[in-house]
Amino acid sequence: MHDDFTWGVATSAYQIEGGRFEDGKAPSIWDTFSDIGDLPESGDVACDHYHRYLDDIALMADLGIDAYRMSIAWTRVVDAAGNPNLAGLAFYDRIIDALLAAGIVPWVTLYHWDLPQSIEDEGGWPNRSVVEAFDVYAAIASKHFGARVKNWITINEPWVVSMLGYKDGVFAPGRTSFADALAAAHHQLLAHGRAVGTIRANVPDARVGIALDCRPCRPATPNPDDEAASRYFDGYRNRWFFDPVAGLGYPADMLSAFEARGHLTSTTPEWLKSGDLETISARLDFLGVNYYTSVAVRHGHDEDEATDVPSGPYPPSGYTEMGWQITPDALHEYLVHLHKVYQPNSIVITENGASFGDGPDLTGRVADIRRQDYLEQHTGAVRRAIADGVPVDGYFLWSFMDNLEWTSGYAQRFGVVHVDHDTLVRTPKDSFYWYQEAIGRARTS
Ligand code: IFM
């Protein structure tokens, strides 16, 4: 790893902040979803980072990271009329100032799933007017924080927002139309492209990227039906996002497949306007990649993630408690693939990590050996990709601390810091010390 390689940890606003009613925060779609849905827990208090951020930043300093990837809650900093909310901006001022004072570089994500409810009420991501609203937000945030924040991520995991939120209805806002999900995907990518220009206009030395989630896949068997299913899954899950961002437009095979399945009325969708693809493929300073697992795809399962395929192409070395296969080789292979096909000038792993439920033993120690193994294997995969010539320039571990894992509540624990969700006491896990040492070793090697 080169000297400028960035080692960091990542979180997102709704998953850690709490402070739902503080300082004029407006409701987001996740506030609504937790109010009306059948969720185990809400983010109303979460890790109470809203009030405990100084303690959390002190732990981050102890961890020895270069950078902290956080998200801003749109609903804290912009009011329903599109004007800045000064009290909300001041909360992030305090965090950013504390990070900088601790020698930690802030990387700010603008959108990590918490759409203002007022915008959802006007149609949400499927309605093109969201692009303008996002640009107003990006302008407010980049003008306000740009002197101190140079690293910007526009949107996190647009596949999840579109498909789980608007097609499957299992995430906020809980809608179930494939056609709307495709429009939601397009408008997120368009909002991303517009925001790249807006951020650069306000922060001339900004480094801007997007965080795309990926699920590398292979056919479960050489059977042509499995091969076709895998090709479709790859298009639906990965290429639909990576291709347009890289300037290749929407994949032609998927436009036809979506039309054939009735998700689009034509291969020239009505939401695709002249100039959109140019906006979406704005030059990036880095491509953010979130990687957790890979899948083997079977015929009949080309839109789901069947994890029970016994002998997939990437034999898993185990499973995390999300039920996800542990397949570090797929990360290595996918990084090589991204480099070859899309040639980004820089790749940053914007998320990677694992859910394991280990808690403190009688001495207070959290011996989360499985997470250490996972991290060791995946940072090893990143090293191998770099040795193969892939320009990976950073790695953000998901997550700094146990937090609200969306509809799974607090039961799934991704943190290197354990959080007791009754007392909110933080306890660094063994993986925290493993990461601290790994960063130290990388700096001196
Ligand atoms: O917790 C999430 C995060 O919000 C987005 N990426 C995947 C993580 C683990 O599921």
Side-chain angles (χ1 to χ4, degrees):
M1 265 119 183
H2 57 76
D3 288 349
D4 294 334
F5 192 87
T6 296
W7 292 100
V9 289
T11 66
S12 87
Y14 184 68
Q15 292 177 275
I16 65 165
E17 284 179 0
R20 172 171 175 180
F21 301 104
E22 299 278 350
D23 295 323
K25 182 188 169 299
S28 80
I29 54 174
W30 275 94
D31 294 321
T32 308
F33 200 59
S34 77
D35 285 348
I36 61 176
D38 189 16
L39 303 187
E41 277 118 356
S42 81
D44 290 5
V45 176
C47 305
D48 194 30
H49 179 72
Y50 200 85
H51 301 107
R52 296 168 195 245
Y53 64 92
L54 284 178
D55 292 343
D56 292 335
I57 292 170
L59 270 177
M60 289 177 205
D62 189 25
L63 182 54
I65 48 173
D66 301 307
Y68 171 48
R69 178 180 170 223
M70 55 185 268
S71 80
I72 290 180
W74 185 346
T75 50
R76 287 200 194 282
V77 300
V78 185
D79 69 18
N83 296 314
N85 173 19
L86 299 183
L89 288 165
F91 166 62
Y92 294 109
D93 282 337
R94 294 194 289 277
I95 292 190
I96 289 164
D97 290 346
L99 287 168
L100 293 172
I104 299 169
V105 177
W107 285 52
V108 163
T109 304
L110 286 174
Y111 188 71
H112 200 122
W113 308 357
D114 41 2
L115 187 72
Q117 182 59 45
S118 56
I119 293 180
E120 175 57 26
D121 293 344
E122 288 166 14
W125 282 109
N127 180 346
R128 195 175 171 97
S129 65
V130 69
V131 177
E132 189 58 42
F134 187 74
D135 201 41
V136 168
Y137 162 44
I140 289 173
S142 56
K143 272 188 202 144
H144 187 85
F145 300 116
R148 290 165 293 161
V149 175
K150 305 298 175 189
N151 297 281
W152 294 85
I153 292 165
T154 53
I155 305 251
N156 183 69
E157 300 188 355
W159 179 88
V160 171
V161 175
S162 320
M163 299 303 167
L164 301 189
Y166 288 92
K167 166 183 162 276
D168 296 335
V170 294
F171 273 17
R175 287 163 57 180
T176 52
S177 151
F178 205 133
D180 282 351
L182 292 175
H186 182 67
H187 295 142
Q188 284 176 86
L189 295 180
L190 195 57
H192 150 75
R194 279 275 297 275
V196 171
T198 299
I199 294 167
R200 287 221 179 94
N202 292 324
V203 192
D205 52 350
R207 298 187 67 251
V208 193
I210 185 170
L212 296 181
D213 48 319
C214 64
R215 278 289 191 281
C217 62
R218 287 270 193 82
T221 73
N223 178 312
D225 286 343
D226 286 349
E227 282 177 4
S230 180
R231 176 85 188 146
Y232 178 93
F233 180 91
D234 183 41
Y236 156 74
R237 190 69 173 80
N238 303 313
R239 291 182 288 124
W240 192 256
F241 298 87
F242 281 91
D243 279 19
V245 165
L248 304 182
Y250 288 107
D253 62 321
M254 296 311 296
L255 286 164
S256 303
F258 287 153
E259 184 194 30
R261 293 184 183 203
H263 307 322
L264 293 175
T265 50
S266 122
T267 54
T268 48
E270 65 287 356
W271 37 254
L272 181 58
K273 311 283 187 217
S274 160
D276 284 3
L277 290 173
E278 288 73 21
T279 304
I280 289 172
S281 58
R283 177 184 63 79
L284 297 183
D285 296 289
F286 60 89
L287 176 64
V289 177
N290 294 0
Y291 176 85
Y292 290 89
T293 186
S294 65
V295 291
V297 185
R298 285 181 299 189
H299 177 60
H301 291 273
D302 58 11
E303 279 175 19
D304 64 32
E305 302 196 358
T307 52
D308 56 343
V309 177
S311 60
Y314 306 111
S317 59
Y319 288 82
T320 71
E321 288 183 13
M322 291 294 280
W324 295 345
Q325 300 187 351
I326 301 174
T327 54
D329 289 348
L331 171 59
H332 165 255
E333 191 174 302
Y334 203 67
L335 287 171
V336 171
H337 160 83
L338 291 175
H339 175 52
K340 194 165 127 205
V341 175
Y342 302 113
Q343 305 191 331
N345 50 31
S346 171
I347 295 177
V348 172
I349 305 297
T350 33
E351 286 182 28
N352 176 240
S355 168
F356 291 112
D358 309 284
D361 64 16
L362 289 176
T363 67
R365 175 176 170 197
V366 186
D368 58 335
I369 185 76
R370 294 171 296 173
R371 178 172 293 96
Q372 286 175 64
D373 283 350
Y374 180 98
L375 295 173
E376 182 119 41
Q377 292 177 53
H378 287 77
T379 52
V382 172
R383 276 177 209 283
R384 281 188 283 129
I386 293 172
D388 289 342
V390 183
V392 186
D393 294 312
Y395 176 89
F396 287 84
L397 189 165
W398 184 274
S399 179
F400 169 62
M401 59 183 158
D402 295 338
N403 55 51
L404 179 73
E405 181 53 24
W406 306 104
T407 49
S408 302
Y410 296 100
Q412 296 289 344
R413 295 179 175 273
F414 280 84
V416 291
V417 173
H418 179 271
V419 178
D420 179 321
H421 288 292
D422 294 325
T423 61
L424 297 174
V425 166
R426 277 81 160 136
T427 307
K429 304 179 187 179
D430 281 3
S431 59
F432 176 101
Y433 299 108
W434 175 88
Y435 196 42
Q436 188 183 53
E437 270 180 41
I439 295 172
R441 267 199 312 277
R443 287 208 185 106
T444 53
S445 63

